[in-house]
Amino acid sequence: MSDAAVADTRRLNSKPQDLTDAYGPPSNFLEIDIFNPQTVGVGRARFTTYEVRMRTNLPIFKLKESCVRRRYSDFEWLKNELERDSKIVVPPLPGKALKRQLPFRGDEGIFEESFIEERRQGLEQFINKIAGHPLAQNERCLHMFLQEETIDRNYVPGKWLSSPGLTICLPSFSLAFGHTVGTLLRSSFLRRGGKLWAEVLGF
Amino acid sequence: MSFFGFGQSAEVEILLSDAESRKRAEHKTEDGKKEKYFLFYDGETVSGKVSLALKNPNKRLEHQGIKIEFIGQIELYYDRGNHHEFVSLVKDLARPGEFTQSQTFDFEFTHVEKPYESYTGQNVKLRYFLRATISRRLNDVVKEMDIVVHTLSTYPELNSSIKMEVGIEDCLHIEFEYNKSKYHLKDVIVGKIYFLLVRIKIKHMEIDIIKRETTGTGPNVYHENDTIAKYEIMDGAPVRGESIPIRLFLAGYELTPTMRDINKKFSVRYYLNLVLIDEEERRYFKQQEVVLWRKGDIVRKSMSHQAAIASQRFEGTSSHPEARTPGQLSDNNSRQ
């Protein structure tokens, strides 16, 4: 095969993009806000809850909008469930602040405004990081945490099945011998949680 | 190598007969420095002379024989004691005796087979060298001269593109395409990435060239991966239907040809790693092997002048008798 002295560096041909795809809303919309902390109860039985509001267009989530109230121990529960059941490396939570829970402090301890704000930020980072992880989205605990009114600690842990009709089945293309213009090799679609591991997702 | 002031010592030099005309090529040494060595190809004759200069012209030099060797050997760094010689030629230059004056000896290793390319890697080294030895009772006088060997190939008959649809179900589907599966060292990788489904928040995408050096056999196989290049091809979040072009010039990187199972001791293979990074620094990647080969840019002296010019303009004619088609990568390979 003869070849010009200068290599051909022209772009490969590609399909023009559909305008509705180009200008439509992206398919990866996922926003979770943690706000409106409220301390409930009296005396030693006090605790702080936070509003967890989620907006998304990802089909894997049943509700496109949800708003629930969660406390710090609920986040701890979620972290433990994910560490046990999924293969992901779960990001850290903001601290437990045990020292702040000791008596005889000069300030409000864990109900101090600045501390609550610090914790709120940490929880927001934590939940956004997790909710976008394809493997975490597979876990029932995440969906229950984000979209159900209360967390049923006696639930049956397991994988979350996407809505029917969304599973994609791709045929395997066999190799065409003698094909001169590019040969389509076998597709490989990784079922979620199949061969993925930790934070490094190969596909 | 002689005791201070005792006996006679000599200086040995090896000189190639075509040192003036022969090209030199840069090659990395084990400590990372780049040096130039004479460049040889498979089948070429290695000839020259060994010159012996007496340090003290009044004393004579007793010796047990003088010889010159041409050696091709593989050295595994974790097993330095054992050199695996795959080419070993020797010529005796002088029988045991003595010298009273400086002398030179001609030698010629005709049409020497040099089946593999010189390689200096992380855990293994393949080198070719001439070694002149004056054998003596206590210590020999030895002089080595390294040369560099390049293995050439011609344009492969079959060089299909690589085109594949990959992804994570319901999350990320892409189709990637590279224009060839076998690239020469000064080639350009032309390709594209087409997004079919994007449900993650991609921050950017890059393509890495990874070199994997494999040493050892059986249960003691060791892979050393080295990222030779990282080349960003996209910054920002793509949506469905977008195509991102790839144009990666290989000449700018330190690459060697793909080496498979060299003398059953080591391999050097190259992979393109397509990496997508999302906003939480998660990395989604797909690795694909590519075969690299060295294109010859010399014109054989036996060709006529006209043919020589034509060959330079259309560098693809299979006029290299020693050139081989690159690798044994089957184009019917349907495994990823």
Side-chain angles (χ1 to χ4, degrees):
Chain A
M1 160 175 127
S2 67
D3 200 293
V6 179
D8 186 359
T9 61
R10 284 173 304 176
R11 291 189 184 188
L12 301 181
N13 290 330
S14 48
K15 298 185 265 249
Q17 190 182 23
D18 192 62
L19 288 181
T20 47
D21 285 337
Y23 293 102
S27 324
N28 59 3
F29 179 62
L30 172 65
E31 264 171 36
I32 303 177
D33 299 305
I34 298 202
F35 63 108
N36 199 6
Q38 272 172 23
T39 305
V40 293
V42 281
R44 288 222 219 106
R46 278 183 300 171
F47 61 93
T48 309
T49 61
Y50 305 81
E51 215 169 294
V52 180
R53 182 179 57 183
M54 172 172 164
R55 283 167 301 172
T56 184
N57 66 359
L58 298 183
I60 198 160
F61 290 105
K62 208 161 64 165
L63 304 173
K64 297 307 150 212
E65 270 189 41
S66 64
C67 198
V68 295
R69 276 220 159 253
R70 297 283 178 253
R71 56 185 291 187
Y72 183 84
S73 54
D74 292 333
F75 284 84
E76 279 186 310
W77 169 87
L78 177 64
K79 181 169 197 276
N80 291 333
E81 294 297 296
L82 289 173
E83 274 172 346
R84 187 193 64 219
D85 290 341
S86 80
K87 299 191 195 83
I88 70 180
V89 174
V90 184
L93 276 173
K96 261 185 93 77
L98 288 167
K99 263 176 46 188
R100 281 184 175 263
Q101 292 178 52
L102 293 172
F104 310 122
R105 282 183 67 98
D107 59 16
E108 290 288 303
I110 56 168
F111 304 108
E112 186 71 30
E113 243 183 70
S114 58
F115 171 75
I116 288 181
E117 173 55 23
E118 218 180 274
R119 188 174 259 198
R120 183 201 69 75
Q121 282 175 17
L123 293 176
E124 197 171 72
Q125 270 176 28
F126 171 83
I127 195 64
N128 272 291
K129 199 154 190 154
I130 287 195
H133 198 305
L135 284 183
Q137 288 168 5
N138 252 10
E139 299 294 326
R140 221 184 272 165
C141 55
L142 180 73
H143 292 264
M144 186 159 72
F145 179 94
L146 288 171
Q147 307 210 307
E148 278 178 42
E149 187 79 28
T150 49
I151 293 179
D152 175 12
R153 305 251 169 154
N154 297 319
Y155 85 121
V156 179
K159 300 290 175 241
W160 179 263
L161 298 165
S162 10
S163 330
L166 278 185
T167 10
I168 293 169
C169 236
L170 270 143
S172 295
F173 296 91
S174 56
L175 208 64
F177 282 40
H179 211 289
T180 49
V181 184
T183 319
L184 190 66
L185 299 174
R186 195 172 75 229
S187 313
S188 93
F189 267 88
L190 233 39
R191 297 200 166 265
R192 293 210 204 195
K195 280 187 255 170
L196 303 176
W197 68 96
E199 289 288 284
V200 183
L201 299 177
F203 62 100
Chain B
M1 280 214 297
S2 65
F3 293 109
F4 292 101
F6 292 114
Q8 170 64 277
S9 79
E11 263 174 28
V12 184
E13 286 298 324
I14 304 174
L15 299 145
L16 294 180
S17 50
D18 52 6
E20 294 278 304
S21 54
R22 184 162 287 279
K23 272 210 186 130
R24 310 228 283 178
E26 252 183 30
H27 192 77
K28 212 173 49 167
T29 60
E30 213 177 303
D31 44 11
K33 282 201 297 243
K34 282 213 180 152
E35 290 201 19
K36 287 203 159 191
Y37 301 96
F38 285 109
L39 176 62
F40 282 85
Y41 298 98
D42 188 16
E44 284 194 292
T45 292
V46 184
S47 64
K49 53 181 184 239
V50 176
S51 80
L52 199 109
L54 294 177
K55 281 243 175 86
N56 185 343
N58 296 322
K59 283 191 160 187
R60 20 160 166 251
L61 172 73
E62 270 180 39
H63 67 91
Q64 262 72 52
I66 303 181
K67 65 178 180 197
I68 179 131
E69 296 169 280
F70 180 85
I71 300 192
Q73 76 181 23
I74 296 172
E75 190 182 307
L76 293 158
Y77 295 171
Y78 60 76
D79 188 20
R80 297 268 192 184
N82 289 326
H83 293 166
H84 305 273
E85 290 179 4
F86 55 89
V87 172
S88 179
L89 305 168
V90 64
K91 296 250 189 260
D92 286 316
L93 299 175
R95 286 209 317 248
E98 66 178 33
F99 288 111
T100 49
Q101 57 186 22
S102 304
Q103 259 194 284
T104 63
F105 302 91
D106 290 331
F107 68 87
E108 182 178 291
F109 294 103
T110 329
H111 299 315
V112 185
E113 212 184 285
K114 305 175 205 72
Y116 311 121
E117 171 143 334
S118 295
Y119 175 73
T120 302
Q122 303 273 64
N123 299 299
V124 61
K125 184 158 76 163
L126 189 154
R127 63 188 271 245
Y128 294 87
F129 58 99
L130 287 160
R131 180 165 62 202
T133 309
I134 307 176
S135 303
R136 302 174 70 202
R137 259 174 329 174
L138 286 172
N139 29 32
D140 298 340
V141 180
V142 177
K143 178 80 182 177
E144 284 185 2
M145 184 178 100
D146 273 57
I147 60 157
V148 148
V149 171
H150 283 176
T151 52
L152 301 179
S153 302
T154 51
Y155 277 95
E157 272 163 35
L158 229 51
N159 197 355
S160 51
S161 67
I162 300 171
K163 191 169 174 178
M164 225 181 276
E165 227 179 279
V166 292
I168 299 172
E169 202 173 344
D170 294 338
C171 178
L172 172 69
H173 298 174
I174 62 162
E175 186 189 83
F176 71 86
E177 185 177 347
Y178 304 129
N179 63 333
K180 303 185 208 180
S181 38
K182 300 169 192 166
Y183 291 93
H184 63 80
L185 300 184
K186 307 269 180 275
D187 216 334
V188 188
I189 298 177
V190 175
K192 72 174 206 283
I193 311 294
Y194 180 74
F195 288 92
L196 293 153
L197 179 72
V198 188
R199 294 212 178 114
I200 55 171
K201 295 181 188 175
I202 297 175
K203 200 165 63 165
H204 65 99
M205 178 164 67
E206 67 186 39
I207 202 163
D208 301 342
I209 302 177
I210 297 184
K211 170 175 140 182
R212 177 177 297 168
E213 182 190 281
T214 303
T215 44
T217 50
N220 300 321
V221 171
Y222 180 68
H223 299 292
E224 179 94 40
N225 290 329
D226 188 21
T227 305
I228 305 275
K230 276 185 189 240
Y231 189 72
E232 186 178 83
I233 55 174
M234 177 187 82
D235 183 24
V239 292
R240 178 170 60 192
E242 277 192 72
S243 255
I244 302 297
I246 299 168
R247 189 182 292 126
L248 180 52
F249 289 82
L250 294 177
Y253 303 107
E254 263 182 42
L255 300 168
T256 70
T258 291
M259 301 181 184
R260 286 163 175 272
D261 210 26
I262 299 300
N263 207 228
K264 300 199 198 314
K265 293 275 173 294
F266 71 95
S267 295
V268 181
R269 299 166 88 136
Y270 290 88
Y271 301 84
L272 290 180
N273 200 25
L274 180 71
V275 188
L276 289 92
I277 297 118
D278 73 11
E279 293 203 348
E280 303 293 347
E281 302 301 322
R282 285 181 284 260
R283 296 158 58 87
Y284 306 75
F285 63 89
K286 176 68 183 160
Q287 229 177 65
Q288 187 63 39
E289 181 173 9
V290 287
V291 171
L292 299 185
W293 54 281
R294 187 183 289 281
K295 187 162 72 108
D297 50 15
I298 54 160
V299 175
R300 304 300 293 174
K301 292 184 190 112
S302 57
M303 289 170 69
S304 70
H305 188 56
Q306 295 285 45
I309 293 175
S311 161
Q312 271 162 23
R313 216 180 288 146
F314 302 103
E315 289 152 297
T317 53
S318 45
S319 52
H320 301 275
E322 288 86 34
R324 287 177 279 275
T325 56
Q328 302 303 309
L329 186 72
S330 158
D331 291 285
N332 303 327
N333 183 8
S334 61
R335 285 176 281 120
Q336 295 118 23

